[in-house]
Amino acid sequence: MGRARRTETGGARRVTQADVAAHAGVSTGIVSSVINERDYGSIRVSQATRDRVWRAVKELGYVPNIAARNLAGGSNRLIGVFTYQPLFPMESRDFYHEFLVGIEEEAERAGYHLLLFTGSQNAGRQRSIYAGGINSLQLADGSVLVGTDESSEEIARLAADSYPFVFVGQREIPGVELSYVAADYLGGTAAIVHELAARGHRRIAMVQSAHGHEGIPGRRAGFRRARAELGLGAADAPVLTLGEPPPGVDSDGTLADATAAAAWAAERGTTALVVEDSTQATHVKDAAERAGRSVPGDLTLVGLSGAPERPGVADIAEMSIPRREMGQEAVRALVRLLADPGAAPLRVTLDCALREGPTLGPPRDAGRRGGRSPGRDAGRAVT
């Protein structure tokens, strides 16, 4: 039989639990207990009765009213996905696309459907969870949040409402214990510096972007940790900033642009640059080659953005972020929270790796340090 029953006037109406109960010869309470996979009070349902109810569901084509199930406190088998960004990461060239692929894969494995929340906007036409004062995510059993530019106020309210959610990416909001799945950018950056040292590099510099807030936290600290572990000082392993850093940003010197970074490395005998923004690393490569330097023969370059889909970035060595795995792990964490809300906060950190590329190699003469010591000039601006 179909999913709708004919009325006396010839129209179609939605099949109800009462129809299923009548077809199976049981009460509506038993149908509700079976469909919602819950026992209600004294209702205990035998396996034979359960099988009869599910046969009736199939024969009638009954589809549960999800909203009603939600109000009744049952599970909808729905996982929401929400991002504050204006476009969902559906394109393969979007940084967040791989996260979404991982979310979809793991939701399917766990037996959940995905519900993408895209239409809830506030008066300023910005994505909002609480547009109109109501939690728009509550149709789903719980949600995975992806992307940046989140509203700390809304996230704090979501936590206060005890709504289950997991962030993809580390988030710290004062007074709120969030569940999240993060990448170990600090450890990954430190490992990259150690790998460069193992290949013979002793003059390694980090080039960071000129802004106070790290889009991906941990990379700057990871570089400093590695140079301390390797016994390298700021003279041999400085942290340089492209542009004038704002107050409070630790920097051993400034550089005007990518061309200045390439010239700085040539002048001081620096054989490897770790560049916070991988797109900037491609510009440094172009500038070095225009100046007649070989990459990686004269200069090794490694980017830290973890975004090989950006133009030109696939041609440089780069930190590899486990984006698909992070999406999968976020769903696993959310399913655990749904089963045991008291387990919050759940926090998982996954390792980053080095994606080798044509800009990675040993220094031209790995047996000698070579070059002039940058100690006297490391702190001055280069223009």
Side-chain angles (χ1 to χ4, degrees):
M1 297 181 65
R3 293 180 180 174
R5 297 179 69 84
R6 310 300 296 181
T7 66
E8 290 182 1
T9 58
R13 68 172 177 83
R14 186 186 185 93
V15 176
T16 67
Q17 286 192 13
D19 296 324
V20 174
H23 193 76
V26 298
S27 69
T28 55
I30 288 178
V31 172
S32 178
S33 174
V34 171
I35 290 174
N36 292 313
E37 299 179 353
R38 299 177 67 187
D39 291 328
Y40 295 99
S42 60
I43 296 179
R44 296 293 184 271
V45 185
S46 69
Q47 187 58 50
T49 302
R50 289 180 186 275
D51 292 341
R52 195 161 72 251
V53 168
W54 283 119
R55 279 197 302 272
V57 166
K58 184 177 180 180
E59 289 169 2
L60 295 179
Y62 171 73
V63 178
N65 184 325
I66 291 178
R69 286 181 65 183
N70 191 57
L71 291 173
S75 170
N76 298 331
R77 306 302 292 180
L78 283 176
I79 286 177
V81 183
F82 177 84
T83 172
Y84 280 97
Q85 294 173 238
L87 295 175
F88 242 87
M90 304 297 289
E91 294 292 330
S92 61
R93 293 186 65 83
D94 188 291
F95 177 78
Y96 294 100
H97 175 74
E98 282 294 304
F99 294 117
L100 193 60
V101 171
I103 290 169
E104 180 184 17
E105 290 173 341
E106 189 57 34
E108 183 176 355
R109 273 193 290 267
Y112 281 81
H113 298 287
L114 285 184
L115 183 59
L116 307 184
F117 289 94
T118 60
S120 184
Q121 297 180 335
N122 58 24
R125 305 293 294 172
Q126 298 170 317
R127 290 274 179 88
S128 170
I129 294 174
Y130 285 95
I134 300 173
N135 175 9
S136 60
L137 308 183
Q138 62 185 332
L139 183 60
D141 300 320
S143 293
V144 175
L145 276 55
V146 183
T148 58
D149 302 325
E150 67 275 0
S151 164
S152 297
E153 244 179 65
E154 288 197 343
I155 302 308
R157 182 176 174 183
L158 203 61
D161 289 347
S162 298
Y163 179 80
F165 68 98
V166 175
F167 247 111
V168 176
Q170 183 174 342
R171 294 296 187 278
E172 301 292 345
I173 296 177
V176 182
E177 292 191 325
L178 299 179
S179 295
Y180 59 73
V181 176
D184 184 8
Y185 299 114
L186 190 153
T189 302
I192 285 171
V193 178
H194 277 278
E195 175 63 22
L196 292 173
R199 291 174 182 251
H201 294 279
R202 291 298 179 270
R203 293 181 183 275
I204 308 167
M206 179 174 183
V207 179
Q208 65 185 14
S209 303
H211 48 69
H213 173 69
E214 287 185 89
I216 300 178
R219 296 173 298 180
R220 300 174 186 180
F223 182 86
R224 288 186 171 85
R225 186 180 84 178
R227 78 178 181 185
E229 291 169 344
L230 292 166
L232 300 174
D236 288 328
V239 176
L240 305 170
T241 305
L242 283 177
E244 194 64 37
V249 174
D250 192 5
S251 180
D252 299 316
T254 59
L255 299 162
D257 52 28
T259 300
W264 184 95
E267 182 184 349
R268 286 156 181 78
T270 296
T271 60
L273 291 181
V274 178
V275 187
E276 187 174 42
D277 185 332
S278 296
T279 299
Q280 286 292 347
T282 68
H283 298 329
V284 174
K285 175 180 179 289
D286 293 342
E289 291 176 340
R290 285 195 303 270
R293 300 198 77 201
S294 168
V295 179
D298 295 314
L299 181 64
T300 277
L301 288 167
V302 180
L304 298 180
S305 294
E309 60 279 340
R310 291 184 185 175
V313 172
D315 294 329
I316 66 168
E318 193 187 27
M319 176 187 284
S320 176
I321 300 170
R323 292 180 288 177
R324 180 177 294 197
E325 291 82 358
M326 289 172 69
Q328 294 170 343
E329 194 59 47
V331 173
R332 293 187 193 111
L334 180 59
V335 171
R336 289 199 295 273
L337 284 180
L338 294 175
D340 180 13
L346 293 176
R347 295 176 177 177
V348 181
T349 302
L350 303 181
D351 291 338
C352 294
L354 172 61
R355 177 179 60 79
E356 298 199 15
T359 61
L360 179 67
R364 193 175 291 282
D365 187 353
R368 295 171 52 193
R369 282 198 166 193
R372 182 166 62 84
S373 170
R376 190 163 49 112
D377 299 318
R380 73 176 178 87
V382 179
T383 57

